């Protein structure tokens, strides 16, 4: 769930000793690998990541693999070349490739309509959804919904007119490919993509029977809150999956083969998967994807991004146990992949690792000085705007102290660090404020910006000199507030707060009530919906998030 991932489940990681595997280069200079390993270890220290693996390749034949940290902390097993890492949504590239191999054979069409291929699947407002819409995220489907959710599937806009990232859409795209091929998705992606590329150690589904082959995944020990990093972690329970949105796992060596294929694909070469003509069609006409980032385009599982003036093919992946990233600089002929054995809720993707790896290899091939890497973690700009003493109507108070690129909270004789989890939303370790986190509202721009108030859930704290406490939310909104749980490993708790005449998800996202009684986050065309039901004495016992049920608990 996108909103849950952003606002509710905090990240955590383990501090302590670390193992570093060798940097292995099959050809060329090892210096880029040493620099990459050092940078990976900086990331692990800053974020508290147990283990990482990375691979980088060059069109000239260079291939390097770097491992850092632990595949299993308790057993002190370092990450090695044999370990599988789940690549997450990078799988979408492979799903699209498998679908296009069927298109090439005339068994499927990018213009095939969902409703015609998958009889029984109905999408309100989405009767015209095509395979192309699903593969480009222009279907208008929710980010994470069941195929038959409570209340049915709905499209938020006319298919093909806007862009919203949808795992649900890719699940349906994979099902369309299954229907056209007559084989289950894991077999489809293995036979049409993985095996053809020689990725023989990779798997097309996540099965508990293969668990011994994987690095152990880790998640925050306290999954009911935002966690400042690093913080205590625990192994993540296993989750089986055959979802075409993200169920491939691979080794670093196998991902080197996939990177080489992508370098060829960028040059119009279909390799062992597609004809050259189909390869050109595969990368043609991506959709504008402003929901990813400004100026990004996306098509067939491939994002086109620009970073520091360089153009990349790109994707990331976030899983219950792993987070991954991939960048391909086709002009320079270099590409990189990286993965970490940490739950997606850490809100970490190794993007900077793969961008830096590409830069290192590009510098080597062009005889340039190695690039300076980005800081492992974003720093807080203009922290002074959040500083001040904040007081609640009942006299409770705390102070926000500003340091260099950071802030801390002082309360009841304690001082705790704060980390920004989303704009204006901070995680902290104060025992009374850890679950809600703290939202700090400011007014003014740039250096003149200044804090006005702070919120810990529904509790308002005014900055010094302010006296305009807001009135309590009306009773009908307060009845909706509470904690709602789903025990699926992808979900976790949703917190609903009532304040400022609105209800909020996770202390940071306001909802808009619709005429049909549902609630919408974000833009008016957003496909995501919240609905409360199961009322007892006027209080709902369930919250449906895009049809997925959460039950009231502890509130």
């Amino acid at each position: 769930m996108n909103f849950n991932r952003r606002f509710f489940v905090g990240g955590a990681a383990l501090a302590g000793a670390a193992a570093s595997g060798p940097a292995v280069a099959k050809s060329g200079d090892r210096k880029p690998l040493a620099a990459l390993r050092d940078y990976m270890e900086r990331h692990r220290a800053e974020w508290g990541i147990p283990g990482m693996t990375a691979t980088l390749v060059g069109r000239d034949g260079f291939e390097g693999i770097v491992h850092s940290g632990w595949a299993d902390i308790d057993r002190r097993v370092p990450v090695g070349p044999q370990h599988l890492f789940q690549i997450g949504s990078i799988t979408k590239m492979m799903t699209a490739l498998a679908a296009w191999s069927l298109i090439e054979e005339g068994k499927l069409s990018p213009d095939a309509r969902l409703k015609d291929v998958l009889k029984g699947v109905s999408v309100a407002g989405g009767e015209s959804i095509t395979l192309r819409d699903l593969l480009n995220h222009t279907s208008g489907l929710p980010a994470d919904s069941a195929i038959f959710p409570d209340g049915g599937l709905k499209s938020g806009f006319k298919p093909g007119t806007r862009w919203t990232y949808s795992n649900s859409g890719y699940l349906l795209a994979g099902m369309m490919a299954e229907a056209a091929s007559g084989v289950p998705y894991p077999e489809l992606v293995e036979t049409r993509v993985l095996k053809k590329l020689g990725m023989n150690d990779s798997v097309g589904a996540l099965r508990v029977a293969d668990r011994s082959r994987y690095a152990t995944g880790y998640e925050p020990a306290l999954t009911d809150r935002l966690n400042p990093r690093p913080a205590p972690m625990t192994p993540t329970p296993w989750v089986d999956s055959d979802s075409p949105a993200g169920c491939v796992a691979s080794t670093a060596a196998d991902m080197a083969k996939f990177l080489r294929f992508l370098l060829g694909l960028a040059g119009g070469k279909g390799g062992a998967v597609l004809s050259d003509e189909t390869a050109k069609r595969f990368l043609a006409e991506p959709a504008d994807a402003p929901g990813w980032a400004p100026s990004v385009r996306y098509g067939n599982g491939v994002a086109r991004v620009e970073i520091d003036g360089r153009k990349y093919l790109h994707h990331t992946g976030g899983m219950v146990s792993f987070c991954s990233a991939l960048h391909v600089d086709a002009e320079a002929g270099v590409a990189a992949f990286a993965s970490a054995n940490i739950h997606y809720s850490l809100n970490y993707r190794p993007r900077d690792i793969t961008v830096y790896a590409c830069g290192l290899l590009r510098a080597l091939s062009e005889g340039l000085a190695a690039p300076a890497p980005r800081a492992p973690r974003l720093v807080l700009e203009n922290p002074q705007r959040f500083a001040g003493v904040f007081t609640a109507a009942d006299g409770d108070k705390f102070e926000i102290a500003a340091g260099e690129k950071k802030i801390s909270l002082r309360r009841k004789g304690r001082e705790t660090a704060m980390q920004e989890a989303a704009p204006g939303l901070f995680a902290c370790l104060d025992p009374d404020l850890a679950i809600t986190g703290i939202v700090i509202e400011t007014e003014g721009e740039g250096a003149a910006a200044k804090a006005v108030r702070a919120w810990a859930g529904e509790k308002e704290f005014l900055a010094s000199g302010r006296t305009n406490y807001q009135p309590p939310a009306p009773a009908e909104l307060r009845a909706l507030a509470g904690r709602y749980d789903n025990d699926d490993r992808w979900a976790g708790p949703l917190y609903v707060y009532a304040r400022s005449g609105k209800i909020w998800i996770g202390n940071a996202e306001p909802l808009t009530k619709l005429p049909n009684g549902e609630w919408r986050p974000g833009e008016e065309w957003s496909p995501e919906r919240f609905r409360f039901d199961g009322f007892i004495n006027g209080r709902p016992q369930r919250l449906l998030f895009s049809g997925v049920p959460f039950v009231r608990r502890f509130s």
Side-chain angles (χ1 to χ4, degrees):
M1 303 285 177
N2 283 359
F3 291 96
N4 186 34
R5 292 178 189 183
R6 267 208 311 252
F7 298 128
F8 301 107
V9 185
L14 184 75
S20 295
V24 180
K26 289 190 176 180
S27 63
D29 197 326
R30 290 169 56 97
K31 291 180 182 177
L33 302 187
L36 179 59
R37 180 176 58 191
D38 289 346
Y39 189 49
M40 290 165 65
E41 291 179 356
R42 287 178 60 195
H43 272 248
R44 290 185 51 244
E46 286 287 332
W47 288 84
I49 297 169
M52 298 186 76
T53 189
T55 184
L56 61 161
V57 304
R59 190 180 289 133
D60 61 1
F62 184 98
E63 181 176 317
I65 295 174
V66 182
H67 306 301
S68 177
W70 303 107
D72 189 302
I73 295 171
D74 292 336
R75 294 191 295 135
R76 314 307 280 176
V77 178
V79 174
Q82 77 281 9
H83 286 118
L84 285 174
F85 278 68
Q86 297 173 16
I87 69 172
S89 288
I90 295 171
T91 298
K92 291 179 173 66
M93 291 183 175
M94 300 172 180
T95 298
L97 286 166
W100 272 85
S101 73
L102 291 165
I103 291 169
E104 183 170 287
E105 295 173 6
K107 297 179 179 179
L108 195 56
S109 167
D111 298 315
R113 292 193 300 180
L114 171 65
K115 71 173 188 176
D116 295 334
V117 178
L118 300 182
K119 305 294 186 180
V121 175
S122 176
V123 182
E127 292 78 8
S128 66
I129 290 173
T130 64
L131 177 63
R132 179 183 285 108
D133 291 324
L134 298 173
L135 295 177
N136 290 1
H137 295 306
T138 57
S139 66
L141 289 170
D144 294 276
S145 176
I147 301 305
F148 297 100
D150 200 325
L153 275 177
K154 302 173 185 177
S155 180
F157 48 80
K158 182 181 178 181
T161 63
R162 292 186 181 273
W163 191 94
T164 52
Y165 193 89
S166 177
N167 289 314
S168 306
Y170 257 81
L171 173 56
L172 289 168
M175 294 176 73
M176 290 179 72
E178 284 183 330
S181 66
V183 300
Y185 176 80
E187 180 182 344
L188 179 73
V189 74
E190 287 176 2
T191 58
R192 289 182 173 266
V193 180
L194 301 179
K195 299 302 182 186
K196 285 190 175 183
L197 295 178
M199 299 173 67
N200 297 319
D201 289 326
S202 301
V203 295
L206 311 180
R207 297 181 174 92
V208 71
D210 296 326
R211 190 172 186 180
S212 62
R213 299 181 58 196
Y214 288 81
T216 299
Y218 293 88
E219 68 178 358
L222 299 175
T223 58
D224 63 344
R225 66 196 66 194
L226 295 168
N227 286 273
R229 290 92 53 187
M233 288 191 310
T234 186
T236 306
W238 181 265
V239 175
D240 277 355
S241 177
D242 65 350
S243 170
C247 67
V248 170
S250 189
T251 63
D254 270 8
M255 287 305 294
K257 298 173 183 177
F258 189 63
L259 293 175
R260 290 200 181 282
F261 167 76
L262 291 178
L263 283 170
L265 186 70
K269 302 297 182 182
V273 179
L274 304 173
S275 69
D276 291 353
E277 179 183 352
T278 304
K280 293 181 178 68
R281 292 179 64 197
F282 183 85
L283 288 180
E285 300 179 358
D288 290 331
W292 185 295
S295 76
V296 171
R297 307 199 78 198
Y298 189 104
N300 294 317
V302 183
R304 281 78 159 174
V305 302
E306 185 170 329
I307 303 170
D308 298 331
R310 304 295 307 184
K311 294 181 179 180
Y312 296 91
L313 305 182
H314 170 59
H315 218 293
T316 64
M319 299 293 284
V320 167
S321 297
F322 296 87
C323 291
S324 304
L326 174 155
H327 281 89
V328 177
D329 183 340
E331 181 183 7
V334 299
F337 164 83
S339 188
N341 55 340
I342 189 69
H343 195 284
Y344 68 78
S345 66
L346 188 65
N347 202 23
Y348 174 84
R349 304 291 185 274
R351 300 179 188 90
D352 289 347
I353 297 288
T354 48
V355 169
Y356 182 56
C358 287
L360 287 169
L361 195 50
R362 186 173 64 248
L364 176 66
S365 65
E366 297 175 359
L368 303 174
R374 295 186 177 190
R377 189 164 59 198
L378 292 176
V379 297
L380 184 64
E381 297 296 339
N382 188 19
Q384 192 62 41
R385 71 186 188 275
F386 298 113
V389 175
F390 298 80
T391 306
D394 63 3
D396 189 9
K397 66 175 56 180
F398 58 77
E399 178 185 1
I400 302 295
E404 184 177 357
K405 305 295 185 181
K406 63 182 181 180
I407 61 174
S408 60
L409 182 141
R410 296 170 180 170
R411 182 172 181 269
K412 297 181 178 180
R414 301 182 295 262
E415 182 166 356
T416 60
M418 299 177 67
Q419 292 177 359
E420 194 170 31
L425 171 63
F426 293 87
C428 72
L429 293 175
D430 184 275
D432 299 326
L433 307 174
I435 289 180
T436 62
I438 298 173
V439 170
I440 304 177
E441 296 180 3
T442 60
E443 63 180 15
E445 299 293 335
K450 191 64 179 175
V452 175
R453 63 172 50 82
W455 295 94
E458 297 171 356
K459 189 170 184 177
E460 180 183 15
F461 295 79
L462 286 181
S464 296
R466 304 278 178 165
T467 58
N468 55 330
Y469 289 101
Q470 298 189 5
E476 61 268 24
L477 295 185
R478 296 200 305 272
L480 304 179
R483 168 175 165 168
Y484 298 84
D485 276 2
N486 181 315
D487 293 325
D488 188 306
R489 301 310 304 172
W490 288 99
L494 289 171
Y495 292 97
V496 177
Y497 299 109
R499 67 169 192 254
S500 302
K502 302 177 182 179
I503 59 171
W504 301 68
I505 292 290
N507 209 14
E509 181 75 20
L511 302 184
T512 299
K513 191 172 185 179
L514 303 176
N516 65 358
E518 294 182 326
W519 298 78
R520 169 184 53 76
E523 303 290 342
E524 65 180 29
W525 46 263
S526 169
E528 309 294 348
R529 294 290 185 271
F530 292 86
R531 179 160 57 89
F532 298 89
D533 73 3
F535 284 81
I536 297 177
N537 294 333
R539 300 178 74 237
Q541 303 305 303
R542 286 206 316 167
L543 168 61
L544 298 169
F545 179 14
S546 293
V548 178
F550 289 71
V551 297
R552 183 182 288 276
R553 191 177 287 168
F554 307 126
S555 62

